[in-house]
Amino acid sequence: QVQLAESGGGLVQAGGSLRLSCAASGSTFRSYSMGWFRQPPGKEREFVAAISWAVDYTRYGDSVKGRFTISRDNAKNTVYLQMNSLKPEDTAVYYCAAAPTRYVVTGTDAYDYWGQGTQVTVSS
């Protein structure tokens, strides 16, 4: 079992930055690849970014490439999402998730554990 807790969301103006954190507890954090997903109002959950358990591979959704950066600190059991150049269309509830694999995965079905989510609102 892995428990995940996101933090760092909030209200920011377009062009601004936020850093989300996801603290993990329970099972061995370094055994899981980690991902960030988001769900805009009235839309389905979508892939944002993922990082492999060994921190050597990352992958991003097309809409965030070049603006967002995923990282993890296995010593602190924490994964981060640095979000720069934010746009109003980035407004969503952001979720972190853990997948029991060493590979980078992008589908929601691959992730067994999910946090409760943190709201990010970008004003124009």
Side-chain angles (χ1 to χ4, degrees):
Q1 286 280 349
V2 178
Q3 293 79 44
L4 303 172
E6 304 94 337
S7 61
L11 174 64
V12 64
Q13 289 188 333
S17 298
L18 281 175
R19 188 175 83 154
L20 305 183
S21 299
C22 175
S25 61
S27 189
T28 307
F29 177 69
R30 65 184 67 231
S31 298
Y32 293 82
S33 288
M34 300 297 295
W36 285 97
F37 292 78
R38 68 186 182 186
Q39 188 162 13
K43 297 184 179 181
E44 294 187 352
R45 195 168 297 188
E46 63 182 17
F47 170 73
V48 175
I51 187 166
S52 64
W53 71 290
V55 202
D56 49 356
Y57 290 109
T58 58
R59 193 164 176 183
Y60 296 91
D62 289 341
S63 61
V64 306
K65 282 180 183 176
R67 300 187 298 123
F68 290 11
T69 302
I70 188 171
S71 61
R72 66 189 291 169
D73 185 337
N74 286 340
K76 295 183 178 180
N77 286 4
T78 303
V79 62
Y80 305 96
L81 185 68
Q82 178 66 44
M83 306 186 294
N84 298 330
S85 303
L86 282 161
K87 305 175 182 180
E89 51 264 43
D90 294 318
T91 295
V93 177
Y94 283 71
Y95 299 89
C96 73
T101 176
R102 65 178 62 191
Y103 302 109
V104 173
V105 288
T106 63
T108 55
D109 290 349
Y111 290 84
D112 289 351
Y113 303 103
W114 294 82
Q116 293 299 308
T118 185
Q119 176 71 47
V120 171
T121 303
V122 185
S123 63
S124 57

